Amino acid sequence: MIARVTQEDLVDILQAFEASGFTRLELTLGPLRVAAKRVGAADGGGVESLASAAQVVAPLLGIFQAGSHSNAPALVRPGTRVQADTIIGFISVMRKLTAVKAGRRGTVAQVLVEDGQFVEYGQTLLQVSTQSAAAESERPESHCVNAR
């Protein structure tokens, strides 16, 4: 089990990064992912970004379907705001569709699979940037609902 990471912990990590000679930081602790990149000296040498992203994983193996039906536009793409119950896609197994929900509130940061791609159980489908990921200590389960 991973200990909770507090806001103070994140501030300490970023202060240590700023004081170091490193130009880039990537840290993953369970569902929390922190990434920071030093901006060039002309920009003041501060930290460019801090991102917390949680993974949404496939609840079963099958064919990922990004839209509500074949050839439909994707339900989510980078920048889409999602709630915990937002359906982000479907997984098809033997012509039965299972809806995959985001499982958390945030903004889609990156979609890692393509429409029609075979996915395995537990494979990361997309990443959701959250503002409260630091307060969470366990990786959330993907929620699934059977659909027609």
Side-chain angles (χ1 to χ4, degrees):
M1 185 166 145
I2 297 172
R4 290 187 183 262
V5 178
T6 66
Q7 184 174 358
E8 291 83 21
D9 294 334
L10 287 175
V11 169
D12 290 344
I13 291 168
L14 289 174
Q15 286 175 342
F17 170 69
E18 283 186 341
S20 76
F22 296 112
T23 58
R24 195 170 135 186
L25 166 73
E26 288 187 30
L27 175 67
T28 303
L29 299 168
L32 173 67
R33 179 175 175 268
V34 177
K37 179 178 166 186
R38 190 174 306 281
V39 178
D43 296 315
V47 174
E48 179 181 86
S49 65
L50 169 65
S52 298
Q55 299 176 348
V56 178
V57 299
L60 68 161
L61 64 83
I63 305 297
F64 180 74
Q65 187 173 308
S68 58
H69 57 79
S70 296
N71 300 323
L75 296 171
V76 298
R77 57 185 47 99
T80 302
R81 296 185 70 50
V82 295
Q83 300 297 320
D85 62 348
T86 301
I87 296 174
I88 59 98
F90 297 88
I91 296 180
S92 174
V93 179
M94 297 178 65
R95 297 188 183 183
K96 181 178 179 182
L97 290 179
T98 300
V100 180
K101 295 184 179 182
R104 62 187 348 83
R105 184 175 61 180
T107 303
V108 175
Q110 185 176 17
V111 178
L112 302 171
V113 294
E114 295 181 20
D115 188 46
Q117 179 178 335
F118 178 81
V119 295
E120 295 185 24
Y121 169 79
Q123 180 178 344
T124 302
L125 303 174
L126 57 86
Q127 294 181 330
V128 176
S129 292
T130 64
Q131 293 181 341
S132 61
E136 298 176 21
S137 63
E138 296 181 6
R139 179 176 170 168
E141 295 290 325
S142 288
H143 302 282
C144 58
V145 176
N146 289 332
R148 288 188 170 199

